[in-house]
Amino acid sequence: MSLIPLRPVLEAASKYGYAQGAFNVNAVAQAKAVIEVHEMFRSTAILQGADLANGFMGGCVDFMNATLEDKKAGAKNIANAVKKYGESAEIPVVLHLDHGKDMDSCIAAIQGGYTSVMIDGSSLPFEENMELTREVVKYAHARGVSVEGELGVLAGVEDHVFSAASTYTNPLSAVEFVKKTGVDALAISYGTMHGASKGKNVKLRKEIPIAISECLAYEGIFCALVSHGSSTVPGYIVEEINGLGGLLPDTAGISIEELKAAIPCGIRKINVDTDIRLAVTRNMKEFFVKYPEKRNSASVGGIYELLEAKKEQFDPRVFLAPIMHAVMYGEVKDEDTKEILCCIERGVKEAVGTLIVQFGSFGKAPLCEQISLDEMAERYKKEENA
């Protein structure tokens, strides 16, 4: 199937009362795995490329310092991979920019082939955030691309997104923000956190999405609510990483029970990144334990060296520099690289498959309207003129 915008996916989730997981990818193998596991569960797939993931996929190993040109190249590489596997899949697929830093990042993603973008102006004053988001909506909707904004601040660290403390989303401000920007989705702060150390036994402020949802319904406005920083950080995977020599103390995620309880309160999209990172890194560590002779491999031995040198890290991007060509383009030149990519794919499927079931999107792909970007652009135009 062709890639579709985010809006019809959110409309189906809202109508039928489930949440759609949204999963970050940083390699062609990860995109392939996310699509395949969603197809297996007959679930619509939302793949996310973060702003700096685009830089990494553009060949910038030092992705924290990626340039706009890196991001442009990476956006095309991610989009090419998603199109390659998504257009042959029997489910709808969305490619969404996660935490777009500015207007240029959003434009780069859209021009590269993304069908949905997030503009993160949450660190700006309310009026500035609203103005920036409105400009992105204007540009994106004219091209049939859906837009997610953010209001409120999540604590924690994810790529260039950092805050020491949370600022909960004000429901009344949220309604004003949606009315004046026209966003399709709104990421809110209600107790989740970025990163792998969210604190134990986190209780989500579910009254916040309830209040926002009820106010939007009263106004007759559609906008789906998004839960960022929602990785569950599976304890068994962390234990396995540490058992393999990793150094990951004090890790804790949002419990499945809390996330599932938030879905009836209006949460329709749940972002997950850390769980995938952990499962992939665990698998690579296991690979070199099981096949010690691969530690001296000309193609993948460098991955082992990085895993050993950076035991406190769990982001696979830190370790994958030796096989960047395969990461960026999916081209496999030898058997050792193929085996590492299989480790990556298995880790992705393990983390993602569980959450497809928990969030309730399995079997729901036929409920999602198939709509092209051109058709969506016409719909946005009619809504604006109504």
Side-chain angles (χ1 to χ4, degrees):
M1 292 183 178
S2 298
L3 272 61
I4 66 169
L6 182 62
R7 177 66 176 263
V9 182
L10 300 177
E11 289 175 337
S14 296
K15 181 177 180 179
Y16 295 101
Y18 62 92
Q20 193 75 49
F23 302 99
N24 287 59
V25 297
N26 300 283
V28 171
Q30 291 184 340
K32 174 176 178 286
V34 170
I35 291 170
E36 287 179 350
V37 73
H38 277 84
E39 192 171 24
M40 182 175 74
F41 282 104
R42 294 179 60 80
S43 171
T44 298
I46 303 174
L47 292 86
Q48 298 193 147
D51 189 43
L52 293 185
N54 283 340
F56 179 72
M57 280 290 285
C60 182
V61 176
D62 181 19
F63 53 89
M64 293 297 292
N65 294 305
T67 66
L68 181 59
E69 292 307 310
D70 294 327
K71 295 173 186 178
K72 288 180 178 179
K76 290 181 180 178
N77 287 338
I78 291 180
N80 287 341
V82 174
K83 287 175 183 176
K84 176 181 177 180
Y85 296 105
E87 290 182 349
S88 61
E90 296 183 357
I91 54 169
V93 176
V94 175
L95 178 56
H96 177 75
L97 176 67
D98 188 27
H99 288 292
K101 187 177 181 181
D102 49 33
M103 187 74 181
D104 287 339
S105 293
C106 292
I107 291 174
I110 292 169
Q111 292 180 345
Y114 278 64
T115 59
S116 179
V117 296
M118 178 206 180
I119 177 64
D120 183 0
S122 60
S123 63
L124 300 173
F126 180 75
E127 293 293 334
E128 291 180 32
N129 183 5
M130 201 156 53
E131 181 58 31
L132 173 62
T133 303
R134 184 162 44 228
E135 287 301 308
V136 172
V137 168
K138 181 179 178 181
Y139 180 88
H141 279 189
R143 292 156 178 80
V145 173
S146 303
V147 180
E148 175 184 325
E150 181 166 356
L151 191 62
V153 179
L154 271 67
V157 181
E158 182 182 347
D159 287 354
H160 60 250
V161 181
F162 167 77
S163 178
S166 295
T167 302
Y168 291 124
T169 303
N170 181 317
L172 295 179
S173 296
V175 174
E176 180 184 359
F177 187 90
V178 172
K179 289 175 70 173
K180 292 185 176 179
T181 61
V183 289
D184 303 278
L186 183 67
I188 63 170
S189 175
Y190 72 122
T192 56
M193 289 179 64
H194 289 301
S197 300
K198 305 178 192 297
K200 293 183 178 180
N201 303 315
V202 171
K203 297 298 181 184
L204 301 179
R205 296 282 300 275
K206 291 181 279 293
E207 67 272 18
I208 294 176
I210 289 172
I212 297 172
S213 297
E214 290 184 350
C215 289
L216 288 171
Y218 180 80
E219 296 281 352
I221 301 170
F222 177 86
C223 181
L225 301 184
V226 181
S227 184
H228 279 231
S230 300
S231 285
T232 64
V233 190
Y236 77 95
I237 298 181
V238 173
E239 289 178 7
E240 289 171 343
I241 289 175
N242 289 336
L244 292 163
L247 299 173
L248 302 180
D250 303 322
T251 56
I254 307 298
S255 73
I256 285 289
E257 291 72 22
E258 281 294 295
L259 290 172
K260 289 173 69 173
I263 295 171
C265 302
I267 296 297
R268 296 293 168 234
K269 174 172 172 281
I270 301 177
N271 288 14
V272 175
D273 186 358
T274 299
D275 290 9
I276 295 172
R277 297 184 186 189
L278 290 167
V280 168
T281 296
R282 188 266 329 265
N283 280 9
M284 291 193 294
K285 284 180 174 291
E286 281 186 337
F287 174 78
F288 288 108
V289 170
K290 187 174 182 180
Y291 304 106
E293 69 276 11
K294 303 295 185 182
R295 299 172 185 178
N296 298 315
S297 165
S299 56
V300 304
I303 296 176
Y304 171 73
E305 293 175 4
L306 289 168
L307 285 165
E308 287 295 294
K310 301 184 178 184
K311 295 183 177 183
E312 75 288 353
Q313 298 284 348
F314 63 89
D315 184 342
R317 290 175 294 183
V318 174
F319 314 119
L320 293 176
I323 59 165
M324 280 304 293
H325 192 81
V327 168
M328 294 164 61
Y329 306 112
E331 297 175 5
V332 182
K333 295 184 177 181
D334 61 78
E335 191 64 25
D336 290 351
T337 301
K338 180 181 178 180
E339 290 177 2
I340 282 289
L341 294 179
C342 285
C343 287
I344 292 172
E345 291 183 26
R346 288 197 305 271
V348 170
K349 290 179 179 180
E350 175 186 347
V352 172
T354 301
L355 297 176
I356 290 172
V357 174
Q358 295 286 1
F359 296 160
S361 69
F362 61 95
K364 302 295 196 308
L367 302 177
C368 181
E369 181 184 7
Q370 299 295 310
I371 185 167
S372 69
L373 293 181
D374 288 341
E375 291 170 332
M376 194 71 232
E378 283 300 313
R379 213 177 111 188
Y380 282 136
K381 187 176 180 180
K382 289 179 181 178
E383 289 177 0
E384 185 179 347
N385 295 330

